[in-house]
Amino acid sequence: MSTNAQAASAQIGVAGMAVMGSNLARNLASKGFRTAIFNRTYARTEQVRGEHPEAGFIAAATPADFVASLERPRRIILMVKAGAPTDATIDSLIPYLEPGDIVIDGGNAYFQDTRRREQKLAGLGFSFIGCGISGGEEGALLGPSMMPGGPRESYAHVAPMLEAIAAHYDGEPCCTWIGPDGAGHFVKMVHNGIEYADMQFIGEAYELLTSIGVSAAEAAGIFASWNSGDLSSYLIEITSEVLRQADAATGAPLVDVILDQAGMKGTGTWTVQESMNLGVPASVIAESVYARAVSSSPLLRGHARAALTGPVPAGSTGQDRQRFIDQIAQALWCAKVVAYAQGLDLIRVASQEYGWDINVGDCARIWRAGCIIRARLLDRISSEYAAGHLVTLLEAPSIAAGLTAGQDAWRAVIAQAVMAGVPVPGFAAALGYYDMVRAPRTNAALTQGLRDFFGSHGYQRTDRPGVFHTLWSGDRTEVRTSDG
């Protein structure tokens, strides 16, 4: 049946028929929403429709036909590559849209691009929603975590559909309005930054296990056991699966034949850059990004490996093997908490900076299912935020108690890693942050003294208000330069 014969009969449209887009369209159709589909190449649109006749898709060949197939106000989800392809798709649709129509970008867009696009479309009378979507291909089909941001009144028009296709946890949809303009994509960006850290911690835990002679197969069993306790999460679950997989060609563990160079698509880097712009520590995410950068620098690693030496292997660890494995689990939990704490703090400060008024606890709530970082810990985090105002996750009673209980093991693991020459930049950065924020006094006093010495930047005192400067090149008397 042609699009013209079905004009304005679709409740929602999906543009972009790669796997994520086609799966999201199938998800919508399975929930009873009449769905139109469109792709830049019509052959792909026809292929998706032909492969999934049960979905009853309306296949459009052109942007004009696609827009014409939708009920008013039109609701369109873009599932295309971030950047220029997103702008090109929007521009191809604009001539056929009418005031009140809603365009939803479901890609991994940079939040400042989302802000720009919303302003552009608002000026033309259209609404734009930047919606972070996490869960991968499976999540898109079976229920992702969704983080929409944009005009609240526009979200009301799409909420029934988005909340229906989202993952659910205890009967609640893992989808909620995050805030205006770029808030949704900002939260998705931070989600991905936490994901980087989580994977780095898991990698460090695995390397520590191998340092005491644990095989990949045995490690798979250890991670599976961890997945039944406080560390239960999607990433821990699939770590066990990856470590258990044998290479078909060699019979060796697959992990041993994968080149140890990790890729990046940019969201982790954006998170670190934005944390620097806002002056919010995100050290564990930064170390995770840098670790991937080092892994993907074979020239650097080759020259360093040829020139540098490490400690002589000690052979036996000199301690109970199972005890050390248990300590690694505690260190992994503690580091994971710090990653969430830094990410949620970044969201809190960005919300203030950009006027978004984000409910930080809602972020943890909608991450409990569907997304890549879903974990048992998020249920506790969500409850702690619901119980009262938190400046930092680390002050939440149950979280603080857990860190207190685990810190000795955390420190022991890092100490043994350092003595054995096993790199644990993530674990160490997390502990460094923990110790800095709890310290009654930091070394920043000396930093300010040095800045005043070479640059006359001034300093504040602990005993009286104002800004002061010492005449370092003169008689070293102190002068008050302002009231502060």
Side-chain angles (χ1 to χ4, degrees):
M1 187 181 293
S2 70
T3 298
N4 288 336
Q6 304 179 74
S9 65
Q11 296 167 280
I12 193 164
V14 180
M17 286 293 105
V19 177
M20 281 288 290
S22 61
N23 279 2
L24 197 74
R26 290 170 61 196
N27 190 347
L28 284 160
S30 73
K31 299 301 187 295
F33 301 112
R34 185 75 162 136
T35 305
I37 59 174
F38 170 74
N39 196 70
R40 183 174 56 86
T41 54
Y42 184 60
R44 174 60 183 166
T45 307
E46 281 283 76
Q47 179 185 356
V48 171
R49 182 171 67 171
E51 290 175 349
H52 304 287
E54 75 288 350
F57 290 136
I58 299 173
T62 67
D65 285 346
F66 179 55
V67 173
S69 71
L70 298 166
E71 297 176 350
R72 295 178 179 82
R74 299 177 178 94
R75 290 163 287 205
I76 297 171
I77 301 178
L78 309 182
M79 297 297 292
V80 299
K81 188 175 179 180
T86 298
D87 286 317
T89 304
I90 291 170
D91 288 342
S92 73
L93 298 172
I94 283 176
Y96 311 106
L97 299 177
E98 296 178 357
D101 288 350
I102 302 166
V103 177
I104 305 165
D105 178 12
N108 260 340
Y110 181 48
F111 79 100
Q112 293 287 18
D113 287 341
T114 301
R115 302 183 86 194
R116 168 179 58 80
R117 289 169 183 143
E118 195 211 9
Q119 290 178 358
K120 174 182 175 179
L121 267 67
L124 297 171
F126 315 134
S127 293
F128 187 77
I129 292 174
C131 183
I133 300 177
S134 178
E137 298 171 8
E138 181 179 289
L141 179 62
L142 302 178
S145 173
M146 308 184 79
M147 296 150 258
R152 190 162 199 164
E153 61 276 15
S154 299
Y155 177 68
H157 287 285
V158 298
M161 295 182 180
L162 298 188
E163 293 176 11
I165 66 171
H168 283 66
Y169 186 94
D170 283 348
E172 295 183 7
C174 292
C175 174
T176 191
W177 180 73
I178 298 295
D181 60 70
H185 274 140
F186 188 95
V187 168
K188 175 56 165 57
M189 175 191 76
V190 174
H191 164 285
N192 285 21
I194 295 171
E195 180 185 307
Y196 272 56
D198 209 346
M199 285 192 282
Q200 177 64 25
F201 300 148
I202 288 171
E204 291 177 16
Y206 174 63
E207 192 164 5
L208 285 164
L209 291 173
T210 63
S211 75
I212 59 170
V214 173
S215 68
E218 186 181 359
I222 291 170
F223 276 95
S225 69
W226 287 351
N227 195 49
S228 65
D230 287 341
L231 281 171
S232 176
S233 72
Y234 173 70
L235 285 172
I236 293 290
E237 176 188 348
I238 66 172
T239 297
S240 177
E241 295 297 320
V242 171
L243 292 176
R244 190 173 285 113
Q245 182 67 30
D247 175 46
T250 65
L254 178 64
V255 70
D256 290 344
V257 299
I258 296 175
L259 187 65
D260 61 338
Q261 296 180 14
M264 294 186 282
K265 289 191 174 180
T267 46
T269 303
W270 293 344
T271 306
V272 176
Q273 290 171 336
E274 192 59 24
S275 77
M276 292 180 177
N277 291 339
L278 295 173
V280 180
S283 52
V284 296
I285 298 172
E287 287 295 348
S288 303
V289 171
Y290 297 146
R292 293 196 190 189
V294 170
S295 79
S296 298
S297 303
L299 180 64
L300 167 67
R301 292 172 62 193
H303 279 259
R305 189 163 53 246
L308 305 177
T309 60
V312 176
S316 171
T317 65
Q319 63 176 300
D320 178 71
R321 190 170 184 263
Q322 185 57 50
R323 180 168 175 266
F324 187 57
I325 292 171
D326 293 341
Q327 287 177 327
I328 294 172
Q330 290 177 285
L332 181 55
W333 186 89
C334 291
K336 185 184 185 82
V337 165
V338 171
Y340 281 115
Q342 290 188 349
L344 294 171
D345 192 43
L346 179 56
I347 291 170
R348 178 184 65 84
V349 175
S351 177
Q352 296 170 350
E353 176 71 17
Y354 298 114
W356 289 333
D357 195 26
I358 296 174
N359 183 324
V360 177
D362 277 351
C363 299
R365 180 175 60 80
I366 64 173
W367 291 342
R368 292 180 299 172
C371 69
I372 302 302
I373 64 171
R374 61 186 184 266
R376 178 175 298 180
L377 175 60
L378 280 160
D379 201 22
R380 187 190 303 191
I381 293 173
S382 177
S383 296
E384 288 285 12
Y385 272 96
H389 174 74
L390 298 175
V391 172
T392 172
L393 172 63
L394 303 184
E395 68 180 315
S398 69
I399 295 296
L403 291 169
T404 297
Q407 70 165 312
D408 287 348
W410 191 6
R411 296 178 192 281
V413 165
I414 293 171
Q416 180 158 325
V418 170
M419 294 306 296
V422 177
V424 287
F427 281 178
L431 181 60
Y433 178 82
Y434 173 85
D435 282 338
M436 268 202 90
V437 296
R438 69 172 188 83
R441 187 168 168 82
T442 73
N443 59 29
L446 178 56
T447 300
Q448 281 302 96
L450 295 172
R451 293 180 72 241
D452 188 58
F453 190 105
F454 67 70
S456 300
H457 293 293
Y459 52 84
Q460 294 174 296
R461 296 178 57 94
T462 61
D463 54 358
R464 58 183 185 272
V467 177
F468 300 85
H469 167 60
T470 293
L471 302 175
W472 298 103
S473 59
D475 62 3
R476 301 205 171 184
T477 58
E478 184 181 75
V479 295
R480 182 171 179 157
T481 58
S482 76
D483 292 333

